[in-house]
Amino acid sequence: MIRFASLVVAALSLVLLAYEPAPAQPKSDAGKLKLGFPYTGEITGDKAKVPGTNIMRYKAMIPISLNAGQEIAATVTVPGKERLVGMHLLDPMKKPISKYDPAEKSAKLPGTEVSAKGVYTIVVYSDALGPFTLTANSRNAAEEEEKALVEKAKQLRKELDEVEAKLKAIREKK
């Protein structure tokens, strides 16, 4: 019996050691949305009209600082049977710059490139009060372009080396 209990404890220890939860936001950033980390919030309060629609939903507003040319994409999930969720990205002037596309349990904000540096707002809407988990990811268009140019330069150098080697071989045959 003791041997069996030891085996169970050992097996559970292995399972717990192998489990890797999603990274949590650093404690110093509690209450702030940090790119690449799950953010847990709560939809509370009164219903508000979703901009560009006649739909009334509960909402939570999450600010995020972005730079010009930066692209942001996000996913929000909510618990609850048949609970609807959706979101908007608002520019620093609080105008929507993304389409409201609600879905059941989980919604996505497609990659949206922002035009200016500033504090943007992700607004999470739901037909019911309760918790949500939001994860936002970003890429900088200028960084992506730089990476693409570096790769192209490497490829061109490789092609140039191949052409020069062929040219040298032809010249040596003469």
Side-chain angles (χ1 to χ4, degrees), residues 7-51:
L7 287 173
V8 170
V9 169
L12 284 173
S13 297
L14 286 173
V15 169
L16 290 174
L17 288 173
Y19 173 71
E20 276 191 51
Q25 288 204 162
K27 291 201 187 286
S28 62
D29 290 331
K32 294 181 187 175
L33 177 60
K34 186 160 174 63
L35 294 171
F37 291 93
Y39 170 90
T40 302
E42 188 82 19
I43 297 174
T44 60
D46 297 325
K47 285 188 174 184
K49 185 178 171 197
V50 176

Side-chain angles (χ1 to χ4, degrees), residues 112-135:
T112 304
E113 185 177 334
V114 299
S115 61
K117 181 178 181 174
V119 177
Y120 289 75
T121 305
I122 295 177
V123 184
V124 177
Y125 298 96
S126 182
D127 61 340
L129 299 173
F132 65 90
T133 301
L134 173 67
T135 303

Side-chain angles (χ1 to χ4, degrees), residues 58 81 84 162 167:
Y58 297 103
K81 186 176 181 183
L84 293 176
E162 290 171 1
L167 184 58

